[in-house]
């Protein structure tokens, strides 16, 4: 049959030159499609003599096969080239260091609250809570601080605004965590062993005072508790918290809600202007405490003939400053990112006794 060689050359060259799949598809249709050139040639077979057909038939089939395999080969090659191109342009250097994700830090107050909670939990204390907006009854009266008592003004109390004609009893921003003592006694009675960490408010502002700060209250009631138990619990706490045996010194004091009352100092010294807790013969005041006053037990609905116990109140921010060497309390609440990154804790630093509480 004539003309097969030029046909073959035309298509094989065309296929080799095709630069994408749609060009290949056009070539396939015009060459070996139903109405393509090879099909037209096939039709001529009918007009041939049997002898001619015996030669032309296989030749046409062979041509068709050859074109089809050239198409398939070119298609595969184009696919490989496309992949090569992607690999070349979309490369990625897996040896480069990752971009650090910006992570927040745990505020020292949160961290120290967790540390305090972990230590007291180990001594059987659970956590109690109360509201920050408190009635003046819980904040004062129930704690044996009558209306005319100087403590109400000494504490520089914030009073909640009352609209004219609103004669509900006055509310305050709680000035200490002690009202949680009353709330807990009223709800759960005695015996008990709780701490109550939280925010408190007083109108005061200087290097060691901010209008909002944090306290942790302690309350333990039982049938045979004394100041000796209080002293043991506190020394146990401070030794665990500072990671070194810490002695305490009790100084007689006065709080309306405890009798007797004591202010507690921890042992410390200054070496070259640096504070060292748990060594030397200096003392630093850290908390107020005492045996719960019978009137306070009564306000909490606890029988003061059957139960007695101790209470204490300690500044969380203050012990955080002491433990982590933070000089100015005001910076605690400025939300300065540089300060937070410097004094903040990793979210993975979960305080617990076995981990040494981040000493
Ligand atoms: N509430 C007292 C204060 O804020 C501390 C305290 C608590 C003292 C419990 C004695 C007992 O100063």
């Amino acid at each position: 049959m004539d003309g097969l060689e030029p046909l073959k050359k035309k298509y094989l060259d065309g296929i080799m030159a095709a630069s994408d799949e749609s060009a290949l598809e056009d070539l396939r249709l015009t060459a070996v499609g139903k109405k393509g050139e090879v099909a037209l040639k096939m039709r001529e077979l009918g007009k041939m003599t049997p002898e001619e057909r015996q030669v032309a038939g296989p030749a046409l089939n062979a041509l068709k096969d050859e074109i089809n395999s050239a198409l398939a080969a070119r298609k595969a090659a184009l696919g490989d080239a496309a992949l090569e191109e992607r690999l070349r342009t979309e490369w990625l250097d897996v040896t480069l260091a990752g971009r650090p994700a910006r992570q927040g830090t745990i505020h020292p107050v949160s961290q120290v609250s967790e540390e305090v909670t972990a230590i007291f939990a180990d001594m059987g204390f659970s956590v109690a809570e109360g509201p920050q907006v408190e009635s003046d009854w819980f904040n004062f009266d129930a704690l044996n601080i009558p209306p005319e008592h100087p403590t109400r003004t000494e504490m520089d109390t914030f009073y909640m605004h009352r609209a004219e004609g609103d004669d509900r009893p006055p509310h305050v921003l709680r000035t200490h965590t002690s009202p949680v003592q009353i709330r807990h006694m009223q709800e759960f009675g005695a015996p008990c062993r709780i701490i109550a960490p939280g925010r408190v408010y007083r109108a005061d502002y200087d290097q060691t005072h901010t209008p909002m700060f944090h306290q942790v209250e302690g309350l333990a009631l039982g049938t045979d508790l004394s100041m000796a138990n209080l002293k043991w619990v506190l020394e146990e706490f401070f030794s665990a918290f500072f990671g070194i045996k810490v002695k305490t010194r009790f100084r007689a004091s006065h709080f309306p809600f405890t009798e007797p009352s004591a202010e507690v100092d921890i042992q410390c010294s200054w070496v070259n202007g640096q504070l060292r807790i748990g060594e030397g013969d200096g003392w630093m005041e850290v908390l107020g405490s005492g045996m719960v006053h019978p009137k306070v037990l009564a306000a909490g609905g606890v029988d003061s003939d059957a139960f007695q116990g101790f209470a204490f109140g300690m500044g969380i921010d203050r012990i955080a400053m002491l433990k982590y060497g933070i000089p100015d309390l005001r910076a605690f609440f400025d939300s300065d990112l540089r300060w937070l990154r410097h004094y903040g804790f990793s979210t993975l630093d979960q305080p617990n006794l076995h981990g040494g509480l981040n000493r």
Side-chain angles (χ1 to χ4, degrees):
M1 187 176 230
D2 292 339
L4 286 195
E5 269 312 310
L7 203 59
K8 173 172 157 182
K9 186 168 165 26
K10 175 170 95 176
Y11 284 113
L12 292 189
D13 287 354
I15 289 167
M16 278 317 289
S19 59
D20 57 37
E21 286 202 16
S22 76
L24 273 185
E25 180 60 9
D26 288 346
L27 280 167
R28 190 184 69 77
L29 289 172
T30 49
V32 293
K34 266 193 187 145
K35 291 175 184 160
E37 277 197 85
V38 175
L40 291 179
K41 292 262 180 210
M42 294 267 192
R43 268 182 229 162
E44 291 174 22
L45 289 176
K47 300 174 213 151
M48 291 179 185
T49 64
E51 291 73 23
E52 284 172 331
R53 202 179 298 138
Q54 239 170 26
V55 180
L60 274 172
N61 276 329
L63 174 62
K64 194 175 166 186
D65 288 347
E66 211 169 334
I67 290 177
N68 274 328
S69 29
L71 282 166
R74 183 65 187 153
K75 189 170 173 180
L78 284 177
D80 287 350
L83 184 62
E84 280 300 321
E85 177 63 9
R86 273 190 66 188
L87 288 176
R88 205 178 54 75
T89 54
E90 296 177 11
W91 68 279
L92 172 79
D93 184 352
V94 294
T95 65
L96 275 181
R99 281 190 211 105
R102 277 237 182 265
Q103 267 191 343
T105 56
I106 303 290
H107 194 285
V109 169
S110 307
Q111 187 76 10
V112 166
S113 301
E114 293 289 334
E115 294 178 18
V116 169
T117 304
I119 298 168
F120 278 105
D122 191 53
M123 294 189 277
F125 286 73
S126 52
V127 173
E129 280 184 316
Q132 294 176 42
V133 176
E134 188 55 286
S135 76
D136 70 344
W137 188 84
F138 277 107
N139 195 77
F140 295 123
D141 302 66
L143 290 160
N144 194 31
I145 310 173
E148 69 285 358
H149 198 280
T151 302
R152 293 210 183 195
T153 44
E154 270 165 28
M155 279 189 170
D156 301 306
T157 311
F158 288 111
Y159 280 83
M160 302 303 288
H161 176 72
R162 280 272 183 264
E164 206 162 327
D166 183 344
D167 48 11
R168 285 177 297 167
H171 276 65
V172 300
L173 291 179
R174 67 178 180 191
T175 57
H176 51 180
T177 42
S178 298
V180 184
Q181 289 186 35
I182 308 296
R183 289 182 174 275
H184 188 81
M185 284 189 264
Q186 286 189 344
E187 196 166 348
F188 299 102
C192 75
R193 232 183 291 174
I194 54 137
I195 55 164
R199 294 183 168 177
V200 300
Y201 303 82
R202 293 179 200 177
D204 212 350
Y205 191 68
D206 61 34
Q207 193 177 344
T208 51
H209 297 88
T210 48
M212 186 281 298
F213 60 105
H214 300 80
Q215 284 191 333
V216 57
E217 193 80 8
L219 172 70
L221 299 176
T223 50
D224 59 354
L225 291 178
S226 72
M227 293 287 270
N229 299 110
L230 170 63
K231 188 167 169 85
W232 182 86
V233 163
L234 290 177
E235 291 197 348
E236 199 69 10
F237 166 73
F238 285 115
S239 300
F241 182 73
F242 289 107
I244 181 173
K245 181 89 201 122
V246 180
K247 285 196 200 127
T248 60
R249 182 176 75 172
F250 280 47
R251 277 180 296 106
S253 182
H254 175 263
F255 299 102
F257 31 94
T258 45
E259 183 58 37
S261 301
E263 274 173 330
V264 178
D265 305 336
I266 54 174
Q267 180 193 5
C268 68
S269 67
W270 276 268
V271 182
N272 302 325
Q274 235 206 339
L275 177 68
R276 305 249 178 98
I277 305 284
E279 46 182 78
D281 47 17
W283 298 99
M284 159 107 38
E285 186 196 326
V286 283
L287 59 84
S289 66
M291 298 303 289
V292 181
H293 196 288
K295 284 192 181 164
V296 173
L297 293 173
V302 168
D303 178 1
S304 59
D305 289 330
F307 292 99
Q308 84 279 61
F310 60 79
F312 59 85
M314 175 164 56
I316 293 181
D317 323 76
R318 184 162 166 71
I319 61 169
M321 290 168 81
L322 293 178
K323 178 166 177 177
Y324 294 111
I326 310 174
D328 191 327
L329 177 64
R330 289 168 297 194
F332 272 63
F333 311 117
D334 282 347
S335 302
D336 181 333
L337 278 178
R338 288 165 308 172
W339 188 92
L340 290 169
R341 288 196 187 114
H342 182 77
Y343 288 111
F345 292 83
S346 156
T347 46
L348 298 174
D349 266 344
Q350 297 289 335
N352 59 59
L353 296 176
H354 323 292
L357 298 161
N358 305 305
R359 259 295 277 187

